[in-house]
């Protein structure tokens, strides 16, 4: 049996991202143990949503830690997407990753600000805050999958399109489960504000991804 040499590019800085991600997970478990235990079974049990959707649901340390985890790993996954499918040499360096991280952070901040402005105009801040909390919770959970996918793409199966597609499918499933639960829990609000909901869906949920997809196409 011949030895197969596996050649890695410089992954030291990527390893530091994994270490930082694990550190964030450890912090969230150590300081918010009950929250963490409820959170890790989120797609199968709504206990986390039920217990923690009352007050200070967005701006607390647990959510901030998981938002950091999300940004670190979505940025790295996007970095690999650009490499594998678009051969984007501009994003194959540490600086390229940091640029992606900054752009994604700016994207989410602007999106949240627009959502809150929209909620203020239509006098529905409480409902929209709960809506954002639930949607963000499922998104954060799905990034656990991307974390594992990133590990595979870094150390085990570099440039594997199958792993990318599998990861995207699992992320989609988790977020679809979240959307179904959100729509069920807020069906009365959606029914009475159907036009507002459609406007919100098109303007703040669908259009950003259409714009990003159009940009990547070119």
């Amino acid at each position: 049996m011949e030895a197969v040499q596996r050649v890695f590019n410089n992954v030291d800085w990527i390893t530091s991202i994994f270490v930082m991600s694990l550190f964030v997970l450890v912090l969230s478990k150590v300081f918010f143990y009950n929250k963490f235990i409820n959170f890790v079974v989120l797609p199968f049990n709504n206990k986390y949503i039920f217990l923690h959707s009352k007050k200070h649901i967005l701006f607390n340390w647990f959510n901030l830690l998981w938002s950091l985890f999300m940004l670190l790993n979505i940025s790295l996954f996007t970095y690999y997407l650009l490499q594998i499918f678009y051969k984007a040499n501009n994003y194959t360096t540490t600086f390229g990753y940091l640029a992606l991280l900054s752009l994604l952070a700016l994207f989410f901040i602007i999106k949240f600000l627009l959502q809150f402005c929209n909620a203020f105009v239509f006098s529905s801040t409480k409902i929209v805050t709960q809506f954002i909390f639930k949607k963000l919770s499922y998104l954060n959970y799905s990034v656990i999958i991307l974390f594992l996918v990133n590990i595979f793409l870094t150390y085990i199966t570099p440039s594997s399109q199958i792993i990318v597609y599998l990861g995207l499918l699992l992320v989609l499933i988790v977020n679809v489960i979240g959307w179904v639960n959100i729509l069920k829990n807020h069906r009365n609000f959606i029914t009475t504000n159907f036009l507002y909901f459609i406007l919100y869906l098109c303007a703040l949920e669908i259009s950003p991804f259409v714009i990003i997809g159009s940009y990547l196409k070119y």
Side-chain angles (χ1 to χ4, degrees):
M1 181 182 294
E2 293 184 7
V4 177
Q5 184 180 9
R6 187 183 296 273
V7 179
F8 292 105
N9 294 323
N10 183 10
V11 296
D12 291 345
W13 65 271
I14 298 178
T15 301
S16 68
I17 293 170
F18 293 138
V19 171
M20 193 181 304
S21 298
L22 287 172
F23 182 66
V24 168
L25 293 184
V26 170
L27 285 179
S28 67
K29 182 179 179 181
V30 169
F31 291 103
F32 308 96
Y33 181 79
N34 291 331
K35 255 188 183 182
F36 183 87
I37 295 302
N38 291 329
F39 180 75
V40 294
V41 294
L42 178 61
F44 317 101
N45 189 324
N46 262 339
K47 187 177 180 181
Y48 173 80
I49 298 294
F50 178 76
L51 291 177
H52 304 291
S53 61
K54 303 301 180 184
K55 58 181 181 178
H56 308 302
I57 58 178
L58 287 179
F59 303 105
N60 57 67
W61 282 110
F62 185 81
N63 275 349
L64 290 175
L65 286 171
W66 275 91
S67 294
L68 175 59
F69 178 80
M70 175 193 69
L71 286 172
L72 289 171
N73 285 280
I74 288 183
S75 300
L76 185 57
F77 183 71
T78 306
Y79 168 88
Y80 280 128
L81 279 181
L82 291 173
Q83 280 194 30
I84 294 170
F85 292 102
Y86 299 99
K87 311 300 180 185
N89 295 327
N90 292 335
Y91 293 99
T92 56
T93 63
T94 308
F95 177 78
Y97 170 79
L98 293 175
L100 287 171
L101 181 65
S102 301
L103 287 172
L104 283 169
L106 184 63
F107 168 77
F108 281 109
I109 290 171
I110 292 174
K111 185 177 178 182
F112 286 144
L113 288 175
L114 289 175
Q115 286 174 323
F116 282 118
C117 289
N118 197 19
F120 178 77
V121 169
F122 289 94
S123 302
S124 55
T125 304
K126 183 178 180 181
I127 293 293
V128 171
T129 300
Q130 291 181 357
F131 184 82
I132 294 172
F133 166 72
K134 294 171 184 178
K135 185 163 60 72
L136 183 62
S137 296
Y138 281 96
L139 176 61
N140 285 340
Y141 186 92
S142 68
V143 175
I144 298 174
I145 298 168
L146 293 187
F147 174 68
L148 298 175
V149 168
N150 288 336
I151 290 175
F152 270 84
L153 293 176
T154 303
Y155 304 112
I156 303 171
T157 55
S159 302
S160 172
Q161 295 187 10
I162 294 175
I163 294 296
V164 171
Y165 286 128
L166 180 61
L168 287 173
L169 177 62
L170 293 175
V171 166
L172 180 63
I173 290 172
V174 171
N175 283 281
V176 166
I177 292 172
W179 271 96
V180 169
N181 287 331
I182 290 169
L183 294 176
K184 283 169 56 180
N185 294 336
H186 296 284
R187 58 182 177 272
N188 291 333
F189 175 80
I190 292 170
T191 302
T192 55
N193 300 274
F194 186 71
L195 291 177
Y196 161 73
F197 178 73
I198 294 297
L199 176 64
Y200 163 83
L201 202 62
C202 293
L204 296 177
E205 295 295 339
I206 298 175
S207 61
F209 295 101
V210 172
I211 294 170
I212 293 171
S214 300
Y215 171 77
L216 291 176
K217 189 178 294 185
Y218 295 102

